């Protein structure tokens, strides 16, 4: 089986080969984010993975993580000798081949370097602060979900029932450690943000020992929204005042 080559460079995990990017997405449900091009709309190789994605790929055995520290100064682009003379707009390398323009999606200089492979233990030591997130990511991935970063919605992860190309996310996941203070306002903010984009807010609780399984708590808004809750409390207050008034009137009019 072909193994994906992930290059660990500082705090980044990059995949350069287009075939390997396709393999990660369509066979292993690892989406990442395309970091190529000068603008977001120009997305292309390399694919940038999160630490938890790289760790899962290594532990599952379908990828090698290669230590590229320290990276060359020009690792973000192909070597000069690999760039065709006809360079297109946005710094991309183009080659005229049979009337079509071909995008170069490899980094030849990186591929030629002899890089040591990291073991799972060595990779964990590079980013100990994200080990808890890696546990949550593995649990979600093991349930057949696609996962992408959720920072745009104030969460840790977005969860999709299928490929994000075809599906909207249905859950915003927030990672929380046992013993870590979770204020009511944070719960309200998470629930309101999720509700405003028609998703479910989920709290993933991690045990401090790292042994107990991850627990998930979904925050379900009140049926009818905040207005229904306010209306119910106002109605209860009116009913209580009416009952007290009725008892008072009844006692005062009783001849006995």
């Amino acid at each position: 089986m072909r193994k994906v080559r992930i290059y660990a460079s500082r705090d980044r995990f990059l995949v350069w080969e287009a075939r390997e990017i396709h393999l990660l997405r369509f066979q292993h449900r690892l989406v990442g984010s395309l970091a190529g091009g000068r603008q977001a709309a120009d997305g292309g190789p390399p694919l940038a993975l999160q630490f938890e994605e790289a760790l899962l790929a290594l532990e599952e055995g379908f990828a090698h993580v290669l230590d590229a520290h320290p990276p060359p100064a020009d690792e973000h682009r192909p070597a000069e000798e690999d760039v065709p003379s006809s360079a297109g707009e946005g710094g991309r390398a183009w080659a005229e081949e049979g009337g079509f323009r071909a995008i170069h999606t490899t980094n030849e200089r990186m591929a030629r370097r002899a890089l040591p492979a990291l073991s799972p233990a060595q990779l964990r030591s590079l980013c100990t602060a994200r080990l808890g997130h890696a546990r949550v990511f593995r649990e979600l991935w093991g349930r057949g979900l696609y996962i992408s970063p959720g920072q745009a919605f104030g969460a840790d992860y977005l969860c999709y029932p299928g490929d994000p190309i075809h599906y909207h996310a249905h859950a915003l996941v927030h990672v929380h450690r046992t013993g870590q203070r979770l204020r009511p306002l944070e719960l309200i903010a998470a629930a309101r943000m999720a509700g405003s984009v028609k998703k479910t807010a989920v709290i993933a609780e991690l045990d401090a020992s790292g042994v107990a399984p991850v627990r998930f708590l979904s925050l379900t808004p009140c049926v009818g929204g905040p207005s229904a809750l306010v209306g119910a409390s106002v109605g209860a207050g009116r009913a209580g005042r009416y009952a007290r008034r009725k008892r008072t009137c009844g006692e005062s009019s009783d001849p006995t």
Side-chain angles (χ1 to χ4, degrees):
M1 181 182 68
R2 179 187 179 92
K3 287 195 175 185
V4 176
R5 291 166 296 176
I6 302 173
Y7 297 93
S9 173
R10 294 192 179 95
D11 58 344
R12 297 182 300 170
F13 300 91
L14 305 176
V15 180
W16 284 93
E17 291 285 344
R19 289 175 296 177
E20 296 176 353
I21 294 172
H22 183 276
L23 185 68
L24 283 177
R25 186 181 192 109
F26 293 102
Q27 288 195 20
H28 304 298
R29 289 183 285 107
L30 294 182
V31 179
S33 57
L34 292 170
R38 293 186 176 181
Q39 299 180 3
D42 297 334
L47 178 75
L49 298 176
Q50 300 180 89
F51 163 76
E52 40 269 50
E53 291 175 307
L55 180 61
L56 185 141
L58 179 60
E59 291 179 338
E60 290 295 316
F62 54 81
H64 295 296
V65 177
L66 305 176
D67 188 359
H69 299 77
D74 58 346
E75 83 159 2
H76 63 283
R77 59 183 175 83
E80 292 183 2
E81 60 269 21
D82 300 324
V83 179
S85 58
S86 57
E89 297 181 359
R92 289 195 175 193
W94 302 95
E96 298 293 339
E97 298 177 359
F100 293 93
R101 296 190 301 176
I103 303 175
H104 289 258
T105 59
T106 60
N107 188 324
E108 298 296 337
R109 176 172 294 184
M110 186 71 74
R112 288 196 300 264
R113 295 176 63 196
L115 300 173
L118 297 174
S119 67
Q122 290 173 323
L123 182 56
R124 291 190 197 98
S125 67
L126 294 179
C127 195
T128 56
R130 298 288 297 182
L131 291 178
H133 289 74
R135 288 179 56 204
V136 174
F137 187 93
R138 171 174 283 279
E139 180 68 24
L140 295 170
W141 182 84
R143 300 187 181 199
L145 299 172
Y146 283 74
I147 308 109
S148 69
Q151 287 82 357
F153 295 92
D156 290 290
Y157 301 114
L158 289 170
C159 289
Y160 302 79
D163 193 307
I165 294 177
H166 305 291
Y167 293 86
H168 289 289
H170 66 280
L172 302 178
V173 180
H174 303 259
V175 178
H176 171 69
R177 293 184 179 275
T178 302
Q180 179 183 356
R181 185 180 180 185
L182 189 60
R183 297 177 297 176
L185 285 179
E186 293 175 332
L187 292 174
I188 294 172
R192 292 190 65 180
M193 170 58 78
S196 66
V197 291
K198 298 181 181 180
K199 307 184 193 308
T200 301
V202 177
I203 305 297
E205 186 178 16
L206 287 168
D207 182 68
S209 65
V211 178
V214 180
R215 296 193 302 175
F216 294 96
L217 172 68
S218 60
L219 305 179
T220 304
C222 174
V223 177
S227 59
L229 188 61
V230 172
S233 62
V234 171
R238 290 175 177 172
R241 288 195 298 272
Y242 176 77
R244 287 195 298 272
R245 188 181 307 114
K246 185 175 182 180
R247 286 196 301 271
T248 303
C249 295
E251 289 173 359
S252 60
S253 60
D254 190 349
T256 59

